Amino acid sequence: MAAVTMTMVAREAGVSVSTVSHVINGTRPVAAHTSRQVRQAMERLGFTHQPVARSLAAGATTTIGVAIPLSGDPFHQELFAGIEGEARRQKFAVLVSDTSDDPERERAAVANLVAHHVRGMLISPTAGWTSGAAKVIREHRLACVLVDRLQRAQFDQVGVENERATVTLVEHLLTKGHRRIACMSGRQGLSTTEERIAGYRAAMDAAGVAVDESLVVSGDSTDTGGRRAMRALLALPERPTAVFIANDSMSMGALRALNEAGCLIPDDIAVVCFDDPPWGDLCSPGLTAIAQPTFAMGARAVQLLAKRIEDPEATPSTLRLRGEVTHRGSCGCRG
């Protein structure tokens, strides 16, 4: 039988992974009723875990920290599942802190993890991490691996081939005859946002199609932002005939806006998305998307961290994993 994980306990208790971590490790006060829910879920599932406090007493030789957004979106939940699975395999205890994609919360989360004497850390950096979290990590000379959002900084890091994957999706729209292709980008300042915009522009340029800058809009990486951005695109004097959406959270809001406007997909507008959400094949038509190897990304990040802990002076390495296109009906193909 597979080992019970914090991810499974969180799902059973109806709380976040970071809440489960705080209950297990005593790293932050948790409301009594919430703590009871978590402990009851642990008991039902037969979850066992060595608390961080016990690791600290033994010299904190096996504890690693994880600082990522854990708002409940499928991508980060799957990423953490990959991290936790590989960490358990390598017998690391895991202490997780939710950054909420906020630079100040991220800095505080990293400082808290450092205070708990973690051996190393995995972090999915926010747009403002350089002046906050990165400084704390460097000051304490902590082994660190960047996950998903890669930087020019000298750290080990693992992510997906954002630019190449985006080129593939946009080229597909071009082969379907589209020329007014919109790009709904994510939060400004993130490497994933910059790389996916670059892929969009590269595909358009290679096809000799000039980019109409009014078609490049930000959805701020959120459901609400995607809805707002799609409404802006639909309000243009000349609407786009297709749209590339740079993450699954925005695609949900964008599809809601299209439904509200009575637009038919793909007849009125074709849609493709970066990230293949769990509900992508439940839409009608299904959503054509790039599926990221998210679980594998988390696992490989732990492997890189283990090597970094073992050899602190090794040359930093960057690992790029390939995404896979899933063709369904939203692009105009037969789903």
Side-chain angles (χ1 to χ4, degrees), residues 307-329:
K307 290 181 179 179
R308 175 58 51 188
I309 292 171
E310 184 178 340
D311 186 2
E313 302 305 320
T315 302
S317 60
T318 295
L319 178 62
R320 293 274 192 175
L321 306 180
R322 298 190 70 171
E324 182 177 348
V325 179
T326 299
H327 288 285
R328 301 190 181 101

Side-chain angles (χ1 to χ4, degrees), residues 129 134 137-138 142 144-146 153-157 316-318:
W129 93 297
I137 291 168
R138 287 195 173 98
L142 189 66
C144 179
V145 175
L146 310 186
Q154 290 300 300
F155 289 102
D156 295 302
Q157 46 190 356
S317 60
T318 295

Side-chain angles (χ1 to χ4, degrees), residues 57-78:
T61 58
T62 61
T63 305
I64 62 172
V66 178
I68 61 176
L70 284 170
S71 58
D73 67 279
F75 175 83
H76 286 104
Q77 294 291 341
E78 181 73 4

Side-chain angles (χ1 to χ4, degrees), residues 40-51:
Q40 288 173 347
M42 290 166 60
E43 186 175 346
R44 287 195 298 272
L45 297 175
F47 178 85
T48 57
H49 189 77
Q50 178 172 320

